[in-house]
Amino acid sequence: MTALTFLEQGFTRRNRRRSFATLFLLLFLIYFLLPLFWLIVSSTKSDPQLFSTFGLWFAHFNLVQNLREVFTYDGGIYLTWLGNTALYAISAGVGAALFATMAGYAFAKYRFRGRGVLFAVVLGSIMIPQTALVIPLYLLLSKVGIINTPFAVILPSLISPVGVFLMRVYAERAVPDALLDAARVDGAGEFRIFRSVSFRILVPGFATVLLLSFVATWNNYFLPLVVLSTPKYYPLTVGLAQWNSSSSAGGGANVLFSIVVAGSLVAVIPVAIAFLLLQRYWQGGLTAGGVK
Amino acid sequence: MANISFENVTKRFADGTVAVDSLTLEINDGEFIVLVGPSGSGKSTALRMAAGLEDITHGIIRVGGSVVNDLTPKERDMAMVFQNYALYPNMSVYGNMEFGLKLRKMPKQERKARVTAAAKMLGIGELLERRPAALSGGQRQRVAMGRAIVREPQAFLMDEPLSNLDAKLRVQMRTEIARVHQQLQTTTMFVTHDQTEAMTMGDRVAVMRQGALEQVDTPEELYKRPVNLFVGGFIGSPAMNMVLARLVAEGDKLFAQFGSQRIAVPREHLSQRKQLASYKDKEVILGIRPEDLEDAEFAPRADPDALLDVEVALAEPMGAELVTYFEIDAPPVITKDTRDLSTDLDELDANKGKSLFTARIDSQSSARDGKPLKVVFDVTRLYFFDPQTEAAIR
Ligand SMILES: Nc1ncnc2c1ncn2[C@@H]1O[C@H](COP(=O)(O)OP(=O)(O)O)[C@@H](O)[C@H]1O
Ligand SMILES: [Mg+2]
């Protein structure tokens, strides 16, 4: 290929459009990765270096020391918080995915009275930010007497209106009515059909909602902040924030910034792992072949 | 196994559509009955009501003598085969066939025996471990059949099970299903919109139109004695030719006059159809099947009063025969019935005053596009319908 034709090709409109797109995505990538990069770099620094060295590059490597402190400070309560977060995120993720799958499937596949109204309510609740509901939620939970218990975090997190919406759309497309009819004629009851036939087809959607709820609960700060007051129930978000504010307030007496940063790094890792694990469920074509 | 009876069964959907309108039909134990009719005529709905997948608005369905209106599909114990097979995508072929038995808590050994036997019968023994996605259309069809067979149900309900297959496989599966029925003698309701399929498969054929049962009879009876214009036009391929004609008597002879031509109507028609005499000097719809028309050259002893001079519009050699189209200068039959049936509606409208006839004539005929042709009617096989009621004249 001569240099001239190469040049000509380089300037075709299609190529130019494509390189714009690439550039654009690259900028986004940097925008999203920069904080993560800062987190990785900073977690390797000691407290004084955190403020005295250039933020986006490594200085003296102090990661091991930082990690050791993260897991031992305050009697190793970080591990408890990690455990709490995992418990909240996993139960909320699995629970929300299960409920959303069942509800979305019911909306998609059954005709019942009030279906339209109920679905409108679900759609409406997507628009309401959880933050706005926290105070009424607090009052409700304290009436029931589960304020400052793990249930106060888990129960509200089991509800995922977006998940219901997603699963309805997914079930409408993925589960053919004829399949349900076939199972009915074969003698299966509705729950059995859901369990043995429909759910298998809905797994990719289930995994999606699971991941969304898992991440949302893992990162949730405001709800646990409001409904929990005993540190041993805290998730990482609230715990780390408390460490952070105590070091700010302490005026240098109680400097914990480096372990807050290292603790944040550790907190990110399980989410990344969850993404990688669930990725393989995002494969379409699960129903392929069952119904032509 | 059991007989199935529909007694004035009506289905009205929530949106007001009456899909099945007072259907009364008795299906004998072990019978293979075909429900045939154009799309939207309520065949699937009738079948689904029998299966318990659709509520019955009015009327009664009995299976083996007992009313099943309020029974669940499971309690009715029927097996259904769907047009798109509806195999469980997450289960193997074995799992698909076994599912219904498992739900009925059948011991594992017996399940295995039944599945193996059915798979052998259908020639899918090698495929038992595969998923539906890894099967061809024909194989999926067999698995769907197998899933029904292993259940040993009261009846088989099949909703256009062959229409997703290619033409060759469809013919092959027809014989296969017939063979299975021969072997098992299970009461079967088979739905199709394809009249050829209906005629070749059914012990009896029920013709439906717009939710109503038009006629139920053996294929031969349907062909020879359709009760009305709709059945006459629907059964047979290519469809029966129809023309508006006037019955005129001349001396002791009776003629059917249409356009500038006429053919003799033998006396025997009058004796077979008592009402026909009263149509003298009146209009009737005259029907003649394409296979009852012939090139005069190949029917040397034909009555000269049964001959028609036409000009060939199109001659299609089909190998065994020559399918010839020609126009008759008489008004075509445009009724609700023919509109329901017609695929060439535009043609009907465009050719007002002319009717297009189809003839299946000898393949050796010299008929060619644009050439004149002498066509002979087999006047013993004429059909007569009342132009107003569209009922056959009896
Ligand atoms: N769930 C439904 N709601 C409303 N109308 C329906 C429904 N199912 C079928 N129909 C209507 O009932 C009529 C008969 O349908 P169907 O039994 O499927 O006909 P066929 O199987 O003969 O093609 C059609 O007019 C169809 O549109
Ligand atoms: Mg149908």
Side-chain angles (χ1 to χ4, degrees), chain A residues 227-275:
Chain A
V227 298
L228 298 177
S229 49
T230 314
K232 70 168 180 176
Y233 291 139
Y234 283 174
L236 287 170
T237 47
V238 178
L240 287 171
Q242 206 190 34
W243 277 357
N244 191 36
S245 57
S246 77
S247 25
S248 309
N254 191 12
V255 181
L256 297 171
F257 291 117
S258 64
I259 58 172
V260 169
V261 171
S264 305
L265 181 71
V266 174
V268 169
I269 291 167
V271 179
I273 291 175
F275 254 100

Side-chain angles (χ1 to χ4, degrees), chain B residues 13-15 17-20 37-46 54 159-160 191:
Chain B
F13 282 108
D15 63 359
T17 314
V18 177
V20 173
S39 133
S41 55
K43 311 177 296 288
S44 297
T45 307
E54 213 77 73
D159 194 354
E160 312 224 7
V191 162

Side-chain angles (χ1 to χ4, degrees), chain B residues 358-377:
Chain B
T358 311
R360 297 166 62 179
I361 63 178
D362 197 292
S363 63
Q364 300 302 310
S365 164
S366 55
R368 291 296 173 264
D369 298 4
K371 292 273 171 61
L373 178 71
K374 265 196 194 318
V375 177
V376 56
F377 278 52

Side-chain angles (χ1 to χ4, degrees), chain B residues 34-64:
Chain B
V34 177
L35 256 59
V36 70
S39 133
S41 55
K43 311 177 296 288
S44 297
T45 307
L47 205 67
R48 292 167 57 81
M49 282 192 285
L53 294 171
E54 213 77 73
D55 288 337
I56 300 162
T57 314
H58 294 299
I60 293 172
I61 297 182
R62 287 179 210 273
V63 176

Side-chain angles (χ1 to χ4, degrees), chain A residues 4 8 10 14 31 37 40-41 49 53 56 67 117 120 126 183 191 195 200 213 232 234 242 271 284:
Chain A
L4 194 66
E8 276 169 1
R14 215 180 104 193
Y31 178 78
F37 182 67
I40 292 169
V41 168
Q49 281 182 328
T53 59
L56 285 178
L67 286 177
V117 176
I126 290 178
F191 192 73
R195 195 159 61 86
R200 309 301 183 88
S213 305
K232 70 168 180 176
Y234 283 174
Q242 206 190 34
V271 179

Side-chain angles (χ1 to χ4, degrees), chain A residues 178-179 181-188 192 196-197 200-201 286-292, chain B residues 48 53 73-74 78 80 82 84 86-90 100 103-104 132-133 140 147 151 164:
Chain A
L179 206 57
D181 285 340
R184 285 176 191 132
V185 174
D186 256 349
R192 178 65 191 243
S196 301
V197 179
R200 309 301 183 88
I201 300 169
L286 262 177
T287 51
V291 168
K292 202 178 166 188
Chain B
R48 292 167 57 81
L53 294 171
K74 182 179 190 177
M78 309 222 189
M80 196 156 169
F82 296 82
N84 49 22
L87 301 178
Y88 311 123
N90 54 301
L103 291 169
R104 287 176 167 73
R140 286 177 200 173
R147 188 170 63 177
R151 293 257 316 276
N164 276 354

